[in-house]
């Protein structure tokens, strides 16, 4: 009998193939930290009922060939196109990850514009559309705490791939690819605004949501919980650090 969660009666903590448990990778991948509790609360303030949960958090590791499906074709075409430009693929592509049916190329940040242009222009690839860039902050991923993630879509071939670029907190610079994908203009500004990633070469890298004089980057995981009281429909809503706390 299949249970409502689709686990077939198998404990999803023990079944690495259980689709209802995102993030579970067993002993595979690259460990970056140990998660304690559901939301990382400490000092006994966790009221979720998951305060005793302890589990490692891992990023997916390098995939091995064959990747499967059209992934190998795209990887071969990209590597071949880079070689034609006298760029060794292993210098540009730090690792290739296949995880949950998705293909991700981790790119050395100095080679991002060339890789993006190659993916856009090569006739066998033709990833004409970049749907934006998102920031991610992994404080435990030492030396590459800040990540920028790009989703590219090929309208010609009906495919989607992801590019991921990392930078350390101490040097949060990544080349802009607005010249390659002009629609990334606002997306890069938003990622700068919230995560502090500096996109070198952007035509006008200014904050897009927060006030120009705002201090810090609110979506980093080490950003302090606190803020300014907000008036809403005549009522004063306290700042987050004055509300109920879980830590």
């Amino acid at each position: 009998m299949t249970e409502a969660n689709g686990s077939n009666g198998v404990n999803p903590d023990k079944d690495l193939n259980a689709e209802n448990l995102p993030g579970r990778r067993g002993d595979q991948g690259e460990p970056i930290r140990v998660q304690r509790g559901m939301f990382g609360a400490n000092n006994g303030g966790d009221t979720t009922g998951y305060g005793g949960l302890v589990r490692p958090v891992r990023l997916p590791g390098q995939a091995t060939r064959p990747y499967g499906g059209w992934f190998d074709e795209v990887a071969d075409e990209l590597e071949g196109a880079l070689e034609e430009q006298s760029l060794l693929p292993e210098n540009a592509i730090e690792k290739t990850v296949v995880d949950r049916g998705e293909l991700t190329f981790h790119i050395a940040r100095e080679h991002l514009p060339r890789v993006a242009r190659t993916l856009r222009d090569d006739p066998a690839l033709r990833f004409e559309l970049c749907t934006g860039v998102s920031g991610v902050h992994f404080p435990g991923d030492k030396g590459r705490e800040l990540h920028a993630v790009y989703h590219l879509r090929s309208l010609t071939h009906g495919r989607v791939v992801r590019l991921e670029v990392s930078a350390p907190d101490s040097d949060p610079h990544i080349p802009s690819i607005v010249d390659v994908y002009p629609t990334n203009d606002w997306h890069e500004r938003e990622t700068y605004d919230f995560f502090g990633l500096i996109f070198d070469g952007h035509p006008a890298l200014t904050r897009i949501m927060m006030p120009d004089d705002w201090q810090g980057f609110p979506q980093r995981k080490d950003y302090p919980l606190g803020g300014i009281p907000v008036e809403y429909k005549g009522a004063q809503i306290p700042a987050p650090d004055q509300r109920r706390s879980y830590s």
Side-chain angles (χ1 to χ4, degrees), residues 36-242:
R36 300 183 183 278
M38 181 63 76
F39 303 108
N42 50 41
N43 299 326
D46 191 333
T47 61
T48 66
Y50 291 92
L53 178 66
V54 179
R55 58 182 292 248
V57 176
R58 294 182 172 91
L59 300 180
Q62 168 76 40
T64 56
R65 297 271 196 162
Y67 302 141
W70 52 265
F71 293 174
D72 291 278
E73 178 185 344
V74 169
D76 289 341
E77 292 290 348
L78 176 58
E79 292 173 6
L82 294 176
E83 287 178 341
E84 291 175 359
Q85 301 173 54
S86 300
L87 175 60
L88 292 176
E90 56 267 30
N91 290 341
I93 305 173
E94 296 175 336
K95 67 177 179 178
T96 301
V97 172
V98 176
D99 188 56
R100 290 171 176 78
E102 297 178 331
L103 176 64
T104 303
F105 296 109
H106 287 249
I107 306 299
R109 54 179 171 171
E110 64 270 21
H111 296 301
L112 174 63
R114 183 183 296 192
V115 171
R117 192 175 298 276
T118 300
L119 285 165
R120 186 195 68 179
D121 294 346
D122 189 280
L125 297 169
R126 293 298 291 152
F127 286 90
E128 306 99 329
L129 176 64
C130 178
T131 57
V133 56
S134 301
V136 189
H137 187 211
F138 293 115
D141 194 11
K142 300 304 180 183
R144 52 180 190 180
E145 293 87 356
L146 294 168
H147 293 235
V149 183
Y150 305 80
H151 293 83
L152 308 183
R153 179 177 294 275
S154 171
L155 305 179
T156 299
H157 302 293
R159 297 168 174 172
V160 177
V161 300
R162 181 187 294 112
L163 301 183
E164 188 163 337
V165 182
S166 62
D169 270 337
S170 59
D171 182 28
H173 290 262
I174 290 177
S176 171
I177 59 170
V178 170
D179 284 348
V180 182
Y181 296 107
T183 54
N184 249 32
D185 187 335
W186 285 14
H187 295 281
E188 289 184 3
R189 286 180 59 194
E190 183 179 44
T191 304
Y192 160 71
D193 194 357
F194 288 146
F195 290 90
L197 276 165
I198 300 171
F199 294 91
D200 295 327
H202 188 283
L205 193 63
T206 57
R207 290 192 182 271
I208 192 170
M209 300 292 289
M210 307 302 292
D212 290 340
D213 58 351
W214 191 265
Q215 299 296 313
F217 307 102
Q219 287 190 351
R220 288 196 185 188
K221 291 180 180 176
D222 56 2
Y223 187 79
L225 183 63
I228 302 171
V230 178
E231 184 175 336
Y232 181 70
K233 293 187 176 179
Q236 195 77 10
I237 299 174
D241 58 341
Q242 298 171 18

